[in-house]
Amino acid sequence: MIVNLILIGSLYLQIKKRFPGTFLILLSFFMSATGNVLVFLRSSIPDLFSIIVANVLIVSSTVILLIGFERFVEKKGIQIQNYMLIVIFFLVHSYFTFIKPDLNARGMNLSLVYVILSFQIAFLMLKRTSVVMRKITSPVGIVFFAVCTIQIFHIFSIWQRDSSVLNYFKSESSEAFYLLAWEIIIIFLAYNIILMYNKRLVLDLSVQEEKFSKAFHAAPFIIMLSKLKDGEVFEVNKSVQSIAGYQPNELISRPLKSPFESGGLIK
């Protein structure tokens, strides 16, 4: 989790304000990492921090991640239901921590919230976004679809578990599988977010290149691009044919001074 936070932090420093929602994605990873650190400090800090604060941070980080993704794909959504979900999660988790301690109930509460939130993110990245953007966001959507599926199985696993289990870290071996699956998913998530940003950069560059190309060739006057070092022409717009009678490929790779010296362009 800490490694993923460093990776996303590095991405943020490179991208900064180029794309909306980037800071929220970084904030989400920071909150999640903080929550996981508090969970692993359970034996040395009060339950209020290691269970309640930690898990509320982790759940809230997923909501922040959803909002960040919505801004990235420019598909604003309503979040009031998710804010209410965080409050309900907090109340249920507090009840099964302090009033009626029950590890299985807490695990089911957390898994159910993950199912709801991960489904929303998967639906956003796979369906709500535009067709063009979907090619970029679909890997992240697939990751969250996997999260949703695994958490559904986790709920059924908890349902059949011995209710006398009180220590999460000493629970049955099936939990080891879900923990391992979760760590793998987190790694894939960070990788696919970085890949998503790289693809978005390539897409934006290709769009800008296409716009420049159209403007370049539609200009009603001659435009020639040459190297500063030796004056070699590497691009000429199409107006050179109608104005000066040259084909663009006749001028490319020639020094810029040659056409002028021959009197072909300017007499």
Side-chain angles (χ1 to χ4, degrees), residues 45-60:
I45 61 177
D47 288 347
L48 174 63
F49 296 101
S50 65
I51 298 178
I52 305 301
V53 174
N55 285 285
V56 169
L57 276 174
I58 293 171
V59 169
S60 300

Side-chain angles (χ1 to χ4, degrees), residues 157 161 171-179:
S157 174
R161 186 187 300 166
S171 57
E172 61 185 43
S173 58
S174 63
E175 278 303 321
F177 167 78
Y178 290 108
L179 286 172

Side-chain angles (χ1 to χ4, degrees), residues 7-250:
L7 291 175
I8 298 299
S10 175
L11 175 68
Y12 173 75
L13 292 176
Q14 295 176 44
I15 301 298
K16 291 186 177 179
K17 297 181 180 180
R18 186 178 181 90
F19 300 118
T22 306
F23 175 75
L24 291 179
I25 294 173
L26 173 63
L27 177 62
S28 170
F29 272 79
F30 175 77
M31 292 170 64
S32 181
T34 303
N36 279 278
V37 169
L38 291 176
V39 169
F40 284 108
L41 292 175
R42 181 173 178 181
S43 59
S44 55
I45 61 177
D47 288 347
L48 174 63
F49 296 101
S50 65
I51 298 178
I52 305 301
V53 174
N55 285 285
V56 169
L57 276 174
I58 293 171
V59 169
S60 300
S61 73
T62 310
V63 175
I64 296 298
L65 188 63
L66 170 61
I67 298 172
F69 284 150
E70 284 184 337
R71 294 186 181 181
F72 179 81
V73 300
E74 299 177 354
K75 291 288 183 179
K76 187 177 180 179
I78 300 173
Q79 297 300 327
I80 184 64
Q81 75 281 1
N82 290 326
Y83 300 146
M84 294 176 62
L85 183 65
I86 293 173
V87 174
I88 294 172
F89 172 82
F90 166 75
L91 295 174
V92 172
H93 233 61
S94 298
Y95 177 81
F96 287 111
T97 300
F98 301 114
I99 300 176
K100 187 180 178 181
D102 190 326
L103 174 65
N104 291 339
R106 293 201 304 269
M108 190 170 294
N109 186 39
L110 183 61
S111 292
L112 183 59
V113 170
Y114 266 128
V115 168
I116 296 171
L117 294 177
S118 59
F119 176 80
Q120 291 182 59
I121 295 177
F123 187 74
L124 168 69
M125 307 304 259
L126 295 172
K127 291 295 182 181
R128 281 180 58 197
T129 187
S130 64
V131 176
V132 174
M133 188 68 71
R134 204 174 296 166
K135 297 177 181 179
I136 298 172
T137 61
S138 57
V140 174
I142 292 171
V143 169
F144 276 96
F145 180 78
V147 172
C148 185
T149 303
I150 290 173
Q151 292 299 335
I152 290 174
F153 280 106
H154 195 200
I155 289 173
F156 284 107
S157 174
I158 293 172
W159 190 271
Q160 298 175 353
R161 186 187 300 166
D162 183 1
S163 60
S164 64
V165 176
L166 296 176
N167 191 327
Y168 182 81
F169 296 104
K170 294 182 180 179
S171 57
E172 61 185 43
S173 58
S174 63
E175 278 303 321
F177 167 78
Y178 290 108
L179 286 172
L180 177 62
W182 183 250
E183 291 299 322
I184 293 174
I185 284 173
I186 292 299
I187 293 171
F188 270 100
L189 175 60
Y191 169 78
N192 281 293
I193 288 176
I194 293 172
L195 187 63
M196 178 179 72
Y197 272 91
N198 288 334
K199 289 181 177 179
R200 178 73 181 272
L201 284 170
V202 171
L203 177 63
D204 282 10
L205 287 173
S206 65
V207 170
Q208 293 299 323
E209 182 180 356
E210 183 179 358
K211 289 180 179 179
F212 170 79
S213 179
K214 288 180 179 179
F216 180 77
H217 289 291
F221 43 83
I222 297 173
I223 302 177
M224 291 190 295
L225 303 180
S226 64
K227 298 178 181 178
L228 182 62
K229 181 180 179 181
D230 54 13
E232 181 182 324
V233 176
F234 61 86
E235 188 64 79
V236 182
N237 70 341
K238 295 178 181 178
S239 294
V240 74
Q241 183 177 358
S242 58
I243 296 175
Y246 281 92
Q247 293 293 333
N249 59 3
E250 293 182 83

